[in-house]
Amino acid sequence: GRRRAPRPVRPRFSARVVARPRAPRGSRRRVARPRGASVEYGSRADRARGSEGTFERERGHLSFWGKNGMSAADAEPKLDRAEVLGVLVPACITRVYAEAPTISSFANMFTVGKSPLRQACHDFQQLAEAGAEAGAMSAELVEIATRAFRLACDNKTSKLCDPALEGLRLLFATGLVQGATEGWAPKLHDASPEPSSSSPAPSSDDIERERALSSLVVSVARCAEVNVSSTHVACVACVLTAHASGGCVIRGDALAQLCRSTLHLAVAAATERDRAAARRALVRVINETFARAGLMAEGVTDGITPSVTDREPDEDDVDGNNVVQPGSRESDALLLTLTLCAVAAKPLDGNNDEYKSHARVLAMDLVRQLLEGPSAATWLRRWRSHLRKPLCVAVIRAGAGGTDRNGAVRAIERACLKVEGSNPGGSVGANAPAPKAAKALAPLRALARAAFGTMVIRARKSYKREIAALYPALALAPLEDAAGGAEGGAEGAVDSDHQLVALRLVRKLASDPQVLVDVFVNYDCDLNSENLFEATVGALAGAMTPGKGPRQAVRNGALQCVLAMVQSLRVWHARGEGDTAGGGGGERDGGDDFDPSSASTVDRDDSSEHHPTHPNESPARLDERRGTADSEADKFHQMKARKASVEAAVTAFNAKPGLGSLAGCPDLDVDDPDAVAAFLLAAKGLDKTAIGELLGGFDDDEVAVMRAFVRLHDFVGNDFDVALRRFMSAFRLPGEAQKIDRLMEAFATKYCEDNPNIFADPDAAYVLAFAVIMLNTDAH
């Protein structure tokens, strides 16, 4: 007996607004589909090619197949703005309005329920009718349409997202959406240059328009979260059209969101065809972004080799003299690179690890292709202050294969890259990933080492410290594990695939004579660097242990690496006879030389090709060039011998602390306390316990060295606990109370000299320092 309230009346659009051109007979055909599948359109010939309702693959680019049986790439040039605003966009608004949720109550049940989405559609209908009668096309109509489509995309339902994305694609294709999204300002880590003030500050209206357009682009990108194939197709088509639009400039965080969403579709789309199309779309967005920035990074491909002219590096492309301006095209390319590095380094936490594993592999592959691009050496140098930590973290985590059982990755990140966080190792603790995630992560090690090898070849000068930190973990550790497993007889416990991937990296570097010599000169001959070349030879020797099955494959790979080294050294020697050691004027391959400041190297050409002597060169000139090559070889030999002597002295000092142990160190006067103190503070490999024993000695020479050691510290402006912690970090305190007393007395005197207004006299600082040491000893 209860009376049902009447349903609210929906206003209908006029016929002239919703009219749509009817497709020819036979061109629009409905295909039977299961629940949740996408609707496929196209003629019988189109379906025979297998490209209906998705993207065409034959043309080498992506295009959306519309309802009229032709691709959007073919239809967009024929679109007319009047037709888009008067017919096509209103048709999309009608579809959105029909599926929009209604908000109504008892108070307004006889009126139209006005949700924000329905209100925007209603406003567009009224303005479209008035504009059609007056024959005017206003920017306000486009603004209301984009607002309605943005609200429809925010609902994240296929029935609303599909027509909204189609309407936005039409607006982007015809250039009706104008403006730019918000720019991105890179954060400076290692450099702090002055910001540029050449461009005027934007007005409040411009900022508001940028925010509105950024919100629209983000809403489009988030449609990738809808798990329906038709929405995936429409989302990728809209992304491509928006990024290629001439009137709309997508940059900053909105561009990064587009990249992440497209990468998500490339991994998690409903069908393999859609995933492949999304991968091609992502490659196209990256290539266009780098091309607009003038970096020409079309090295990223999807099976198609592009034709690109390499840009010669500028002479001033160095770390400190190049700043990425906020909101520039270059900042967009940098942001995309950082986004890919972040995805490649994303840790596994046990939640949806299989999806994260596929995403990490794809992102690492894209980073590898970027590094192999023709101008990678240029932007690797220019972006070093921004890219150093993210790129190295992504490479070291990917090189570990998603696991960090012994904590090596975490130690490298904290010690060398200064990375802190709850899970810096980027893995699931000490546990191995799930079987499906482990299978998805299988290519990650090879991709990381390929990217690292390219970085060594092209940017070894700018990333010298990072290479020294990553090379042992990526190239040497698997080979040392192989040698240890062979000695222990546990061949089954050794991951032969991991070792073969590491051998591939070593062979790639060993096959380049210039890289091989640069590694020896700038690491093995540098007092402050590890002996990478020597360690590599030792690891290869240990990996050549005879065996069966996988062990034999590892042995063969190590033997090939040794042969590649010998061949490279022969090429380098022949180059020295035919040309000066690096003095040739050959063509560069885009790489850069190491910094000669640390190892006293000479300026060398980076090409790996042999430069023969000129046939008409005089014998005197030839003898002069050979003498220069011999002098360079002698110079390198002396540097290596000096480092070997220093290492021998350090070993002797660690075994028996004392000034007599340092007598064999070249260029060190043990009778000069200041020189010995500087050596103790800067030399590499010294045992802190041995340093503490020397500083706490009772001999007059040792006391003089201790006082000189304290004078080398600068405590100006430091709090007392900070200064004491800095002082104690250079050595380990001896166990005797008298030695501790002498060290604390010297520290208190120096601290009061640098900070005269903190303590009344040095005795008070001495008492406090000694008390802190005693309390620390009792606590630990």
Side-chain angles (χ1 to χ4, degrees), residues 481-758:
D481 293 342
E487 293 176 1
E491 293 191 14
V494 180
D495 188 356
S496 59
D497 293 337
H498 194 185
Q499 296 152 17
L500 292 175
V501 170
L503 289 172
R504 201 173 299 129
L505 169 62
V506 174
R507 185 177 181 183
K508 178 179 182 179
L509 300 179
S511 300
D512 192 325
Q514 183 67 53
V515 173
L516 197 64
V517 173
D518 282 347
V519 169
F520 174 78
V521 172
N522 291 274
Y523 291 105
D524 291 62
C525 297
D526 188 359
L527 292 175
N528 299 319
S529 300
E530 300 289 342
N531 296 325
L532 296 186
F533 184 85
E534 181 180 347
T536 302
V537 175
L540 292 175
M544 286 191 292
T545 305
K548 299 180 180 180
R551 171 62 57 189
Q552 184 65 27
V554 173
R555 181 178 183 272
N556 295 339
L559 182 59
Q560 292 176 1
C561 291
V562 173
L563 293 177
M565 282 186 172
V566 174
Q567 180 64 23
S568 295
L569 293 177
R570 291 182 60 187
V571 171
W572 178 261
H573 183 266
R575 181 190 303 177
E577 292 182 350
D579 200 355
T580 60
E587 304 245 342
R588 292 184 177 268
D589 63 349
D592 58 0
D593 295 334
F594 272 123
D595 188 1
S597 60
S598 60
S600 302
T601 59
V602 295
D603 187 15
R604 299 179 302 275
D605 182 24
D606 201 43
S607 176
S608 300
E609 299 178 1
H610 171 58
H611 302 291
T613 57
H614 197 276
N616 298 326
E617 191 170 21
S618 63
R621 176 59 178 165
L622 182 59
D623 293 339
E624 180 183 355
R625 294 161 71 89
R626 288 177 178 174
T628 304
D630 293 339
S631 64
E632 287 297 328
D634 294 339
K635 183 178 180 180
F636 296 157
H637 177 71
Q638 294 174 4
M639 293 167 58
K640 180 59 179 175
R642 181 175 181 273
K643 183 176 182 180
S645 300
V646 172
E647 291 175 344
V650 168
T651 303
F653 178 81
N654 292 338
K656 186 179 180 181
L659 295 177
S661 301
L662 299 177
C665 185
D667 303 331
L668 177 61
D669 185 6
V670 294
D671 296 330
D672 185 1
D674 294 331
V676 176
F679 179 81
L680 295 178
L681 194 61
K684 190 174 183 179
L686 290 174
D687 187 7
K688 291 186 178 182
T689 302
I691 297 176
E693 290 293 332
L694 176 62
L695 297 179
F698 298 99
D699 187 74
D700 293 341
D701 294 336
E702 294 175 344
V703 173
V705 170
M706 182 267 294
R707 292 174 179 172
F709 185 85
V710 175
R711 287 195 301 268
L712 290 177
H713 291 77
D714 184 11
F715 302 131
V716 177
N718 292 144
D719 294 335
F720 186 81
D721 59 329
V722 175
L724 184 59
R725 189 178 299 110
R726 285 182 54 201
F727 178 65
M728 296 293 298
S729 64
F731 64 97
R732 186 182 297 275
L733 273 176
E736 299 183 24
Q738 293 181 354
K739 296 182 178 181
I740 298 176
D741 181 83
R742 188 180 296 106
L743 287 169
M744 292 301 103
E745 183 180 1
F747 165 76
T749 303
K750 174 62 176 175
Y751 184 81
C752 291
E753 291 177 358
D754 293 342
N755 304 277
N757 299 324
I758 296 181

Side-chain angles (χ1 to χ4, degrees), residues 71-81 84 88-89 142 165-178 237-248:
S71 67
D74 298 331
E76 286 169 1
K78 303 176 183 178
L79 292 176
D80 181 67
R81 291 192 174 188
V84 168
L88 301 180
V89 171
V142 177
L165 291 171
E166 183 180 352
L168 287 173
R169 183 185 63 82
L170 293 171
L171 293 176
F172 282 124
T174 51
L176 291 171
V177 179
Q178 299 286 332
C238 188
V239 165
L240 284 176
T241 306
H243 191 264
S245 175
C248 176

Side-chain angles (χ1 to χ4, degrees), residues 282-305:
L282 179 59
V283 167
R284 178 174 168 183
V285 169
I286 295 174
N287 287 338
E288 290 179 355
T289 302
F290 272 77
R292 292 172 183 176
L295 299 175
M296 307 299 291
E298 283 85 350
V300 183
T301 63
D302 189 54
I304 303 174
T305 303

Side-chain angles (χ1 to χ4, degrees), residues 98-351:
E99 301 294 341
T102 302
I103 299 178
S104 60
S105 62
F106 182 80
N108 61 2
M109 62 182 180
F110 293 102
T111 61
V112 177
K114 296 286 186 4
S115 68
L117 176 57
R118 295 177 67 86
Q119 181 65 49
C121 294
H122 187 68
D123 294 344
F124 179 88
Q125 182 266 340
Q126 291 184 341
L127 188 62
E129 290 181 351
E133 293 175 357
M137 299 297 174
S138 63
E140 186 179 0
L141 197 65
V142 177
E143 181 181 356
I144 297 177
T146 54
R147 184 171 74 250
F149 291 146
R150 178 182 60 81
L151 294 172
C153 292
D154 290 339
N155 279 272
K156 294 183 180 180
T157 59
S158 178
K159 294 181 179 179
L160 288 173
C161 290
D162 289 358
L165 291 171
E166 183 180 352
L168 287 173
R169 183 185 63 82
L170 293 171
L171 293 176
F172 282 124
T174 51
L176 291 171
V177 179
Q178 299 286 332
T181 60
E182 293 180 287
W184 176 71
K187 298 179 181 179
L188 299 176
H189 300 288
D190 299 340
S192 56
E194 294 294 332
S196 176
S197 58
S198 58
S199 59
S203 62
S204 57
D205 294 339
D206 294 337
I207 295 176
E208 189 64 28
R209 283 193 292 268
E210 288 181 355
R211 291 177 179 175
L213 186 56
S214 299
S215 178
L216 175 65
V217 174
V218 170
S219 298
V220 170
R222 289 177 178 172
C223 290
E225 301 174 8
V226 180
N227 193 20
V228 179
S229 178
S230 61
T231 306
H232 296 167
V233 171
C235 180
V236 174
C238 188
V239 165
L240 284 176
T241 306
H243 191 264
S245 175
C248 176
V249 179
I250 301 179
R251 59 183 184 177
D253 293 333
L255 179 61
Q257 183 64 40
L258 280 184
C259 178
R260 285 191 292 265
S261 298
T262 312
L263 191 145
H264 166 75
L265 290 178
V267 173
T271 64
E272 176 59 31
R273 183 178 297 172
D274 293 345
R275 290 193 291 271
R279 286 194 293 269
R280 292 196 297 272
L282 179 59
V283 167
R284 178 174 168 183
V285 169
I286 295 174
N287 287 338
E288 290 179 355
T289 302
F290 272 77
R292 292 172 183 176
L295 299 175
M296 307 299 291
E298 283 85 350
V300 183
T301 63
D302 189 54
I304 303 174
T305 303
S307 176
V308 182
T309 302
D310 191 8
R311 184 173 73 93
E312 289 295 332
D314 299 331
E315 294 182 359
D316 59 347
D317 282 346
V318 293
D319 298 342
N321 298 334
N322 289 275
V323 180
V324 180
Q325 298 297 334
S328 63
R329 296 286 193 179
E330 188 177 0
S331 68
D332 295 336
L334 171 61
L335 180 58
L336 285 188
T337 308
L338 294 176
T339 301
L340 294 176
C341 290
V343 176
K346 190 165 184 152
L348 304 179
D349 53 4
N351 183 21

